[in-house]
Amino acid sequence: MHRLLKWVGALALAASVSSPGLAQTVTVPGQSTTGTYMDYMKTVYARAAGSDMIQIGLTAFDKDFNLTPIAAESWSQSADGLTWTFKIRPELTWSDGEPLTAEDFVFALQHAATTGYDFAWYWGFAGGIKNWDDVTAGKADVSTLGLKAVDDKTLEVTTNAPKPYLPSVVSLWYPVPKHQFDKYGDEWSTNVDTIVSSGPWVVKDWVKSNNTVTLEKNPTYKGPWIPQIDEVVMDSSLGLPEVGVPAFLAGDVDMTSLNTGQVASMRQRFADQIHTNPVFATAYIAYDLEKAPFDNVDVRRAFYYAVNRDELTSTVLRDIAIPAHSILPPGFPGYSEKIAAEAVFDPQKAKDYMAKAGYPDGKGFPTVEIWFREEGGYNGAILPPMAQYLQQQFKDILGITMNIKVMPGKDWMEGMLQHKNNLYLAPYEYDYLDPSNFYGIFYNGGRHSYHIAEYDRLVAEADKAPSWDERVKLYEQAEQVMIDQGLIVPLTHPVTMNVVSDKLGGDAMTPNKQGFYPNWSGYVFTHLTKN
């Protein structure tokens, strides 16, 4: 039936010279089969597909990683570096016709700060918003946050310390429609009939059983990056490459990621349609530092030296990942070759650390379980085989048994935040182009509840240091603390390998200045054409 409908549609197009308005639909795999709210400011890790596409951020990055004004048409910083003023574009409205105001941005973060937002750490460390930590801890009233709507189109942000990169940070600050929240509460973003959009897309359909979302072009949107196609279907049932590739071959999806076993055959068949890109992201092992056996630094350091990253990425992850020797990917601002040189495969050193910890050849070491989250895209291709490789590697070198558990993203994040397990396989992709982005996920608790005083001190100093060289030096020292304390095991940096329909075009399908194609994100979908 699907192909019959396609054929009928093609006949209709050929029969009518007045049909340029026929909907151009692009279908892509979704990232997760679960999603609760269509509101990025309510939840990041349990959000519905497309929630960051229907709203408009203050800023965004283009395919060359240039910071671009989006909802904010301009911004300025006070002389003391503590206050930023953002001017909201006057022409912006919600899809129901209500004006988009500075108050919608203020409300978004005020609500997030008082409702247990699962991305709250970001605004405390990366944003450094005045009184954020006290408000989120319940020690201060939300009215004391460094946020102010000066007027309908003027937004003021006060930080605890100078944040020279704040305009990059606010690329993830999306407005929440206060007029809808006042009517429906958080449920405004759970029903297609009550979801209103401020960005280039509106929600046409949302199949909650598998988190498949259909977005259509927002006819009221007047901001930057206006879509050139009419509709995007994010089909989360096609997220895994094993499902996505057959769908691509059947013509049911316009792109899909590839796993390592699919690359060779797809290159033979679609040589000109394979897009390969390194990603500013890192997959790593993290721990609960307060639970045995990973409360022992020597155990953690044994894991650090027990991974053959070169073998991992040249065999089971060939063509889809490169070795990670630092939390920062190569080419990312602040990357240190000196730090990266320490992450070597040294089986004897790994064995020595295990023996020092009291587990010679793994004797007496408890069976452990590593948790990772179910994902589509490049992580869907990388995480399962990497977990299996590590399982065998640790058995062979450390003499331990490590079981594997894959789970929905919401459950994985809840488990990590609530300390339900002690070992995690964690992927992280950059949010803004500054080293503080990666170091911030371990700062003062951060993503993994790490509280290492020396690390926190160095990162805090680096964050506010007046010169770039000084900042880089301090971050390097902070990562040395991570290594010495065995806080993480960097594993891989993903390389996206996608096969893309030859019907797709536009600027999104043109390589950037470095010769890379942009990642599939908000920029791509608004700069994409289809013939």
Side-chain angles (χ1 to χ4, degrees), residues 100-120:
L100 176 68
T101 68
E103 181 61 31
D104 292 318
F105 283 94
V106 170
F107 176 72
L109 279 185
Q110 286 182 334
H111 183 57
T114 55
T115 55
Y117 188 39
D118 57 15
F119 204 53

Side-chain angles (χ1 to χ4, degrees), residues 30 160 308 418 422 469 476:
N160 293 317
N308 190 337
Q418 297 183 12
N422 57 6
D469 289 344
E476 187 178 88

Side-chain angles (χ1 to χ4, degrees), residues 115-309:
T115 55
Y117 188 39
D118 57 15
F119 204 53
W121 68 267
Y122 179 85
W123 297 103
F125 175 71
I129 295 173
K130 183 180 178 181
N131 286 340
W132 181 269
D133 291 340
D134 284 343
V135 171
T136 56
K139 298 177 181 178
D141 188 78
V142 68
S143 63
T144 65
L145 283 177
L147 306 171
K148 182 180 180 181
V150 178
D151 56 43
D152 282 350
K153 299 296 180 180
T154 305
L155 175 64
E156 189 176 275
V157 182
T158 302
T159 57
N160 293 317
K163 294 283 181 180
Y165 49 86
L166 188 70
S168 295
V169 173
V170 299
S171 62
L172 296 184
W173 188 354
Y174 301 97
V176 171
K178 190 173 184 303
H179 65 287
Q180 287 294 88
F181 185 90
D182 288 343
K183 293 179 183 177
Y184 305 105
D186 283 319
E187 299 307 304
W188 77 269
S189 67
T190 64
N191 189 322
V192 173
D193 294 332
T194 58
I195 297 171
V196 294
S197 306
S198 58
W201 307 95
V202 295
V203 181
K204 179 181 180 181
D205 187 51
W206 178 8
V207 181
K208 295 186 179 182
S209 60
N210 66 2
N211 196 28
T212 291
V213 173
T214 300
L215 305 178
E216 61 182 357
K217 187 175 180 179
N218 183 354
T220 70
Y221 179 68
K222 298 178 181 178
W225 298 3
I226 294 176
Q228 299 175 63
I229 56 174
D230 300 304
E231 193 171 80
V232 175
V233 178
M234 308 179 79
D235 189 339
S236 293
S237 68
L238 304 176
L240 295 175
E242 294 81 0
V243 183
V245 167
F248 179 84
L249 295 175
D252 295 332
V253 66
D254 290 294
M255 66 79 65
T256 183
S257 60
L258 304 177
N259 64 33
T260 186
Q262 297 166 331
V263 172
S265 63
M266 297 302 283
R267 272 181 172 159
Q268 288 183 342
R269 299 182 63 177
F270 304 99
D272 296 332
Q273 295 167 234
I274 304 295
H275 290 184
T276 304
N277 293 304
V279 180
F280 286 154
T282 304
Y284 60 93
I285 292 175
Y287 313 97
D288 182 341
L289 303 185
E290 298 179 356
K291 287 184 180 178
F294 301 110
D295 57 347
N296 188 319
V297 64
D298 293 320
V299 170
R300 303 194 298 265
R301 298 213 68 184
F303 274 53
Y304 181 81
Y305 290 110
V307 179
N308 190 337
R309 298 164 181 82

Side-chain angles (χ1 to χ4, degrees), residues 18 28 63 104 137 142 280 291 302 339 368 371 396 403 439 445 447 466 488 509 522:
S18 60
V28 299
K63 70 178 184 180
D104 292 318
V142 68
F280 286 154
K291 287 184 180 178
I339 287 294
V368 294
W371 289 6
D396 294 342
N403 295 325
Y439 293 113
R447 190 189 197 193
I488 69 164
M509 294 294 100

